[in-house]
Amino acid sequence: MTIQYLKKSPKTSSTDDSKTTEIVKNLLKEIETSKEDACISLTKKFDKYNGEIVVSKEKIEKIKEELDQKTKDDIQFSHERVRKFAEAQLKNYGQDFEVELSNGLFAGQKLIPVNTAGCYVPAGRYAHIASAVMSVTTAKVAGVKNIIVASSPKPGVGVHPSIVYTADLCGADSILNLGGVQGIAAMTNGLFGNAPADILVGPGNQFVAEAKRMLFGKVGIDLFAGPTEIAVIADDKADEELVAVDLVGQAEHGYNSPAWLYTTSKRIADYVIKRVPELIAELPDLPKENAGAAWRDYGEVILCDTDEEMATISDEYAPEHLEVQTQNLEWFHKRLKNYGSLFIGEETTVAYGDKCSGTNHILPTKGAGRYTGGLFVGKFIKTLSFQRMSKEATKTVGAACARISRYEGMEAHARTGDARLRKYGFSN
């Protein structure tokens, strides 16, 4: 049977996006400049409110006392079920499940991979073979059926031969001689005979990152990526030469790649400040140019008094790559909370993770390690919830839903519960 639209909407959910974007952009700029004063002013303007901004403990307690018990009971009913479902999700993280939340009410989740993934593989300054491995392999293992790779072509050659080989080996279904914004846009819009990508992954320069940011919503993305970063935590027992070499190892990525050292050792700090420029001077021209600019403009050496201070400053920065070269490795492993990927002990280094040791090198930058991790199979898998329930369960769920909806002022929502209560012979 041919699909027929018996009613077709004249608008889409994106119809008003351009106007909204401009308004929000201006409001965010105003708040960034004037901070709290702007928030207060805008609240007066839009909400006609001129009271306290942070709700006081006294106000909370007063509301608890004054709110009628039936309302509190209904809210508690909702809270209990949402909490039970969240607990079941945590217990069954990464797998399908179904659980009975209360008598006759069942809920669960299914994990379904996206259909099409677009993998961007940078090849501007360097041919990033490892980026093809990281993105395509992970998508393939996740169960993605259609994998597109886009990478910058070289004149008369096209995509670097080693990237073509890698993408094909790892399971790419289509490889495009397209880099930059055009590569990102082509995968998003399903050009050159491909299906539109459901998600875009992979590192790239600032133009690639901005294209992904602007297209987010129309397509999913792995993360908002910036220039690559390295931080090293080192105490006085660290090998100072390894620390310096590792900082330079990441700085060669580009002129704007931060390299940070957090140390409790003045000796290590002094050595690194002297040694890093020497190591950079020994590099070939392109890495030397990149690393020199990166260390000059983005390099930092931070001297701390204690291990706790090093951990605190590291968590504030939330570096993409974090090496720990200290005596107390286990303590740091347990204590540190914000990073993209952690390299424990001098035996490992960021380059191992970048190229071949197994962990993914597509990682959060610019402090995003505070709220997300890097690329993993879960990025390609949708966690979809479902629920089913007996007619008997409507007696409690339908009644509570109707009342909560009316507390909120959403009458049409309430009536969907009412209709079922009537049909199944219950009263609200």
Side-chain angles (χ1 to χ4, degrees), residues 92-97 109-113 378 381-384:
N92 297 281
Y93 186 73
Q95 57 188 335
D96 294 356
F97 76 88
Q109 69 182 25
K110 289 185 66 177
L111 275 58
I112 300 176
I381 298 174
K382 300 174 290 184
T383 302
L384 307 178

Side-chain angles (χ1 to χ4, degrees), residues 14-68:
S14 301
T15 298
D16 296 328
D17 281 359
S18 297
K19 181 179 178 182
T20 302
T21 298
E22 189 61 28
I23 292 171
V24 173
K25 180 180 177 182
N26 291 334
L27 291 175
L28 290 175
K29 186 175 181 181
E30 182 179 348
I31 294 168
E32 184 179 6
T33 302
S34 301
K35 300 182 170 58
E36 286 92 345
D37 288 341
C39 291
I40 293 168
S41 175
L42 292 169
T43 300
K44 290 178 183 177
K45 178 180 178 181
F46 294 126
D47 299 316
K48 313 302 182 205
Y49 173 79
N50 195 25
E52 63 180 11
I53 297 298
V54 180
V55 181
S56 66
K57 295 293 184 184
E58 293 76 19
K59 181 68 177 290
I60 294 172
E61 291 305 316
K62 188 167 184 273
I63 288 172
K64 285 181 180 179
E65 293 173 7
E66 294 179 351
L67 200 62
D68 71 273

Side-chain angles (χ1 to χ4, degrees), residues 295-339:
W295 181 250
R296 181 190 67 234
D297 296 335
Y298 297 92
E300 293 184 356
V301 176
I302 301 173
L303 188 61
C304 303
D305 287 332
T306 64
D307 286 355
E308 178 59 36
E309 285 186 1
M310 288 196 289
T312 297
I313 194 70
S314 180
D315 276 348
E316 288 178 8
Y317 277 59
E320 177 189 18
H321 307 95
L322 177 58
E323 294 186 2
V324 181
Q325 299 187 29
T326 66
Q327 296 179 85
N328 198 359
L329 295 176
E330 185 178 354
W331 182 87
F332 277 102
H333 190 191
K334 290 179 179 177
R335 165 63 180 80
L336 293 165
K337 303 230 176 1
N338 300 337
Y339 51 81

Side-chain angles (χ1 to χ4, degrees), residues 17 81 108 154 161 182 213 219 260 265 295 365 375 389 396:
D17 281 359
R81 276 140 197 81
K154 297 298 182 185
Q182 59 271 30
R213 188 189 70 80
V219 65
W260 305 311
S265 170
W295 181 250
T365 60
L375 187 66
M389 56 190 288
T396 52

Side-chain angles (χ1 to χ4, degrees), residues 219-282:
V219 65
I221 66 171
D222 47 0
L223 40 79
F224 297 118
T228 192
E229 306 160 352
I230 181 175
V232 179
I233 293 175
D235 62 16
D236 195 55
K237 298 300 182 182
D239 184 321
E240 62 269 30
E241 181 70 5
L242 286 182
V243 172
V245 167
D246 287 358
L247 290 168
V248 174
Q250 283 301 108
E252 79 167 333
H253 267 280
Y255 70 92
N256 54 357
S257 295
W260 305 311
L261 170 63
Y262 320 127
T263 183
T264 49
S265 170
K266 181 68 161 54
R267 179 185 65 82
I268 296 282
D270 290 342
Y271 182 89
V272 165
I273 290 172
K274 177 179 180 297
R275 184 61 173 145
V276 164
E278 295 173 351
L279 292 169
I280 292 172
E282 298 168 0

Side-chain angles (χ1 to χ4, degrees), residues 121-132 151-152 154 159-164 166 286 355:
V121 179
R125 289 184 291 262
Y126 309 104
H128 289 279
I129 296 168
S131 288
S151 187
S152 299
K154 297 298 182 185
V159 174
H160 195 286
S162 61
I163 291 177
V164 172
T166 305
L286 179 59
K355 306 305 178 187

